[in-house]
Amino acid sequence: GDLVLADPATGFELRHRRRTNPMDHGVPAALGVAPELMEEVSTGTTIMACVYDGGVVLGADSRTSSGNYVANRASDKITQVMDNVWMCRSGSAADTQNVCAFVKNAVEEHGIMSGSDEPGMADVKLVANVTMQIAYRNKDRLSAGMIIAGWDRRAGPQVFGIPLGGSLEKCDFTLGGSGSTYITGFCDDTWKPGMSREEAEAWIRRAISIAISRDASSGGVIRLVTIHENGAEKQMFEPAQQPLAYDELPVIRREEVVA
């Protein structure tokens, strides 16, 4: 039967249908994937964000897995909450998508009720606190690790980490997902306060490329979102454009291969 997760205080409700068939995971039966190898669709992943001098940069890989099966090799794990605030998602794809949708609706409603003079904008700390409340109150039911980052006129660039369990921490940079364990030392050693935008983007690209080379649950393209006073900009880097990590062989694009 269905598992219903509800929070009377916030009106948050999430329905989880128990999966018994490979097709429930979006896997065609013709592929012959055994049901016992399947798990719920998970963004076992590498996500991170950092503050730079004038804004923030969010980064993520694009591999979404379901047990041993890669369900999506080019998913987008950086989701827009407001024009100036974005969320990186890790854990259960369904859980984080629902949490993000609820946070977006709650913050938009708050802006309407409070008569905000900047439609589409919100305080980054407000979005982080709403996300934290949902994650904490449902910590026994949700598998959701998130990063909230953005820029607002009140406090400038901000990054908040919300790991499993629903705690909340403001930091200069933060990591999440299965790939983060492979690059924590690298990030601690190479982080520099007050980086320029170009330095911050290159730093996150380098860190995620290392995680992809080591973590089987991370892979695909690298996506970046840069948020600053003038808006937000998205970038995508294919494997051939990613920095090589240590003993990796260079990627050869298919059209470059001569028969």
Side-chain angles (χ1 to χ4, degrees), residues 59-151:
D61 73 310
S62 66
R63 176 170 294 179
T64 296
S65 55
S66 178
N68 294 332
Y69 178 78
V70 177
N72 189 343
R73 64 178 183 172
S75 60
D76 192 349
K77 305 173 187 178
I78 311 176
T79 306
Q80 183 176 10
V81 182
M82 303 296 287
D83 291 348
N84 64 317
V85 188
W86 293 61
M87 173 190 293
C88 285
R89 304 179 291 106
S90 68
S92 165
D95 288 355
T96 55
Q97 286 170 355
N98 278 277
V99 169
C100 184
F102 181 81
V103 170
K104 180 178 177 66
N105 290 336
V107 173
E108 287 178 346
E109 183 177 348
H110 176 272
I112 294 172
M113 297 293 290
S114 62
S116 172
D117 56 355
E118 293 182 300
M121 306 281 281
D123 288 347
V124 182
K125 187 175 182 180
L126 169 66
V127 177
N129 273 300
V130 173
T131 307
M132 178 270 293
Q133 289 291 335
I134 297 172
Y136 179 74
R137 293 179 182 181
N138 297 278
K139 59 181 179 292
D140 296 330
R141 308 179 182 93
L142 299 177
S143 175
M146 294 158 286
I147 297 172
I148 299 293
W151 183 96

Side-chain angles (χ1 to χ4, degrees), residues 17 121 129 144 158 166 198 208 256-257:
R17 182 165 59 90
M121 306 281 281
N129 273 300
Q158 301 155 76
E198 292 74 19
I208 295 177
E256 296 174 356
V257 178

